Amino acid sequence: MMKTRIMMRVSVLAIALVMQGLVSVAHAVGVGGSGMFQWSVELRRYISNETGKAPVAYLWVPEGCKQVKAVMLSQQNMTEEAIYKNPRFQAKMKKLGVAMVWVAPAFNNNWDPNSGAQNIFEELMANLADNSGHLEIAKAPMIPLGHSAQATFPWNFAAWNPDRTLCIISFHGDAPRTNLCGYGAANVEWGRNRNIDGIPGLMVEGEYEWWEARVNPALAFRIMYPESCISFLCDTGRGHFDCGDRTADYIAKFIQKSLEQRLNADGSLRKLNPKGGYLAERFHSDMIGTDGADKGKAPENANTSRPQPAPYALYKGDKHDAFWYFDKEMAELTEARYKETAGKKVQYVGFEYQGKLISFNEKAQGGMQIKIEDASSENSSSVNANSKEKKAIRIHLKAVYTDASHNVLSSVHGKKAPHIEVICGPLKKINDTTFEVYPYEAGWDNPRRSFTAWLVAVADADGGYKGAVQPLRIDLPASLCWGL
């Protein structure tokens, strides 16, 4: 009886505290149809201008994980989804004990301290910890990850959270303190005393989006901040809109090294000394420029003669033209990618849809776009789910080789068969030529993003040809998606 009275008093007190706003209670919302994320909470004190509602933070914790060691943080954009949903990447994060948070729609792209992003972040992490039962998540080391328009925020997040940032990943993105932010506006000023010294940061830039003006600020940053640990990978054979298995593996290895070299037993982080790592020569493109002010220009200095990677003190190349790496393994993984592409011929890929080659439009984002008008016999079929018949929206596409125009099929290409990968949006791959719309994690209430999916046609490198990619935007019918 006494125990019952005590429990009743505790319950009444808890309810009273909640009503007074003194206790933070996570508000769980529905988790989307991919089955990846187990928990989700709405953000507080922020309304998205894309939906008119609060964004949702989704949490994935590896199955069987008892103690989360670190948490990746990304926001809805594009390739973040491809990385998170890559089965090989998930398997590696499971082994490392790394959880993943994805916020949709995005709530901040530059981590401006005046925007309130820091408070929103801290509260969403506390609520996800409460909601999931993994209380360590509230204060766990973070791995900010961002692509393109979201590629600046990881550096700035780390500058304002140096003691909590395990490592930084700017994917097909930006240099720290760059003047060319992916979101197209001015960067946030750090001031004189703010830095990311001793925090490993990785900038990745695709070979087919190469622009020297994006790389140079990263090299300059290394010189301006000699205690910084800035790594760089040219994602050879790839462009701006995609992430293949090998690059996902590279990012996973970068995270693994960060945990091994930085995480203390009590969960705190130790700074790295860049002089304890390796240096390796930066990438030099051997192609005609493909992006920005470099577009159409001949390369200035190809990868014909390169100094060998070496420990920091023993490096014989120009340190001003080199990036830092954890160790010999990471430096050699990087060099292997560069050697694979150097001096090889360029090949081209595209898509066939309904028996016809999808035309290339230089003015369209990514170059190719189709609009699915309705659930015709080509795009709709009955599938059995829980013994109930329902319509599935399926799209049939084929990756093919083309000439440089992307508008004519070609027989001049490498030996490997091209294939298709999903980048983002509510599409899942059924087989090599079939893709099915599924109930999107982010819901159907975002006119800008909910009904758009991106795929990429890929041809891997072989002995004579560089790898090749061609993205495709697919606009889906809202009326049919709502019925899923």
Side-chain angles (χ1 to χ4, degrees):
M1 179 66 77
M2 181 63 70
K3 183 177 180 180
T4 301
R5 289 196 186 114
I6 292 173
M7 291 298 293
M8 289 177 64
R9 288 172 184 167
V10 170
S11 299
V12 170
L13 176 61
I15 292 170
L17 288 171
V18 169
M19 291 179 67
Q20 294 174 38
L22 300 177
V23 174
S24 175
V25 177
H27 172 52
V29 297
V31 180
S34 78
M36 174 181 171
F37 299 101
Q38 304 104 322
W39 297 280
S40 57
V41 297
E42 289 182 352
L43 273 60
R44 294 175 174 171
R45 290 188 291 276
Y46 183 86
I47 299 299
S48 170
N49 60 12
E50 294 182 5
T51 62
K53 301 193 303 185
V56 177
Y58 298 90
L59 170 65
W60 176 85
V61 176
E63 183 180 357
C65 179
K66 295 181 179 179
Q67 182 78 14
V68 171
K69 293 182 179 178
V71 181
M72 292 189 74
L73 172 66
S74 72
Q75 303 175 66
Q76 186 180 28
N77 186 43
M78 288 187 73
T79 314
E80 296 89 344
E81 292 182 54
I83 296 171
Y84 273 27
K85 293 177 182 178
N86 185 300
R88 287 166 52 159
F89 187 79
Q90 288 185 9
K92 293 176 186 297
M93 293 305 100
K94 179 178 180 179
K95 186 175 181 180
L96 296 174
V98 174
M100 295 188 279
V101 170
W102 181 64
V103 181
F107 66 97
N108 192 275
N109 60 10
N110 63 3
W111 219 256
D112 186 332
N114 298 316
S115 68
Q118 186 68 35
N119 290 337
I120 293 170
F121 157 72
E122 291 174 359
E123 186 170 46
L124 79 85
M125 294 302 295
N127 287 346
L128 284 172
D130 175 37
N131 187 248
S132 66
H134 282 273
L135 301 183
E136 70 276 12
I137 284 175
K139 300 295 182 182
M142 300 299 299
I143 307 166
L145 160 71
H147 163 237
S148 189
Q150 287 292 334
T152 299
F153 107 81
W155 302 110
N156 295 341
F157 174 95
W160 267 265
N161 295 274
D163 295 331
R164 190 173 176 181
T165 304
L166 175 68
C167 61
I168 305 156
I169 302 167
S170 182
F171 185 76
H172 291 179
D174 300 339
R177 298 198 68 180
T178 185
N179 62 326
L180 283 174
C181 297
Y183 51 79
N187 207 337
V188 176
E189 283 300 323
W190 288 11
R192 289 181 133 189
N193 300 319
R194 203 173 297 281
N195 61 68
I196 53 172
D197 289 353
I199 304 172
L202 173 62
M203 177 182 174
V204 182
E205 185 173 358
E207 186 174 13
Y208 293 113
E209 61 168 347
W210 192 258
W211 188 2
E212 287 289 327
R214 288 206 181 279
V215 184
N216 291 333
L219 292 165
F221 185 91
R222 280 199 59 250
I223 306 306
M224 187 183 301
Y225 296 87
E227 299 302 311
S228 65
C229 300
I230 308 301
S231 290
F232 181 91
L233 173 70
C234 176
D235 196 1
T236 55
R238 292 282 175 159
H240 181 69
F241 297 93
D242 52 273
C243 182
D245 284 344
R246 285 194 309 162
T247 305
D249 289 347
Y250 186 99
I251 294 171
K253 178 67 71 173
F254 190 86
I255 294 170
Q256 176 188 333
K257 299 282 186 181
S258 299
L259 285 167
E260 291 171 350
Q261 297 192 23
R262 297 204 64 210
L263 187 63
N264 294 315
D266 63 357
S268 63
L269 300 170
R270 51 188 177 270
K271 284 188 175 183
L272 296 183
N273 181 350
K275 294 182 179 179
Y278 263 60
L279 291 179
E281 175 82 351
R282 50 152 293 175
F283 178 80
H284 296 282
S285 176
D286 62 1
M287 297 194 318
I288 299 296
T290 57
D291 200 1
D294 291 350
K295 192 168 184 178
K297 290 184 179 180
E300 295 181 1
N301 184 14
N303 293 329
T304 52
S305 178
R306 297 173 59 82
Q308 291 297 308
Y312 194 100
L314 302 178
Y315 183 67
K316 295 182 179 180
D318 184 351
K319 287 185 171 66
H320 294 79
D321 245 5
F323 284 102
W324 170 93
Y325 297 90
F326 283 102
D327 52 24
K328 182 178 180 181
E329 181 184 19
M330 290 302 295
E332 289 185 344
L333 282 172
T334 308
E335 287 293 302
R337 292 290 299 271
Y338 299 170
K339 289 177 181 177
E340 178 189 74
T341 197
K344 292 182 179 179
K345 294 178 286 188
V346 178
Q347 58 185 342
Y348 304 91
V349 288
F351 293 86
E352 282 186 350
Y353 174 59
Q354 296 182 338
K356 297 179 181 179
L357 193 62
I358 296 176
S359 61
F360 183 82
N361 179 0
E362 191 177 48
K363 295 182 179 180
Q365 185 182 20
M368 289 187 181
Q369 180 177 351
I370 60 172
K371 185 176 182 179
I372 309 300
E373 298 291 350
D374 55 35
S376 64
S377 57
E378 170 71 18
N379 302 318
S380 178
S381 58
S382 295
V383 295
N384 189 281
N386 299 324
S387 300
K388 294 181 179 179
E389 292 293 320
K390 69 174 184 178
K391 289 287 185 180
I393 303 174
R394 287 187 171 175
I395 302 166
H396 302 282
L397 296 158
K398 181 182 178 182
V400 294
Y401 282 107
T402 72
D403 66 3
S405 73
H406 296 283
N407 289 317
V408 179
L409 294 173
S410 175
S411 59
V412 181
H413 53 73
K415 297 178 180 179
K416 296 185 178 180
H419 63 277
I420 300 174
E421 299 171 2
V422 177
I423 301 171
C424 65
L427 271 187
K428 61 182 178 181
K429 187 173 182 176
I430 304 300
N431 56 43
D432 288 343
T433 59
T434 305
F435 301 84
E436 182 176 302
V437 181
Y438 72 89
Y440 197 24
E441 294 90 348
W444 303 120
D445 57 0
N446 189 334
R448 181 180 176 186
R449 303 181 191 274
S450 292
F451 310 104
T452 300
W454 285 84
L455 304 180
V456 62
V458 181
D460 292 324
D462 66 5
Y465 287 87
K466 297 175 180 287
V469 290
Q470 174 56 54
L472 169 67
R473 170 176 167 161
I474 301 176
D475 292 330
L476 301 166
S479 59
L480 292 170
C481 291
W482 289 330
L484 293 177

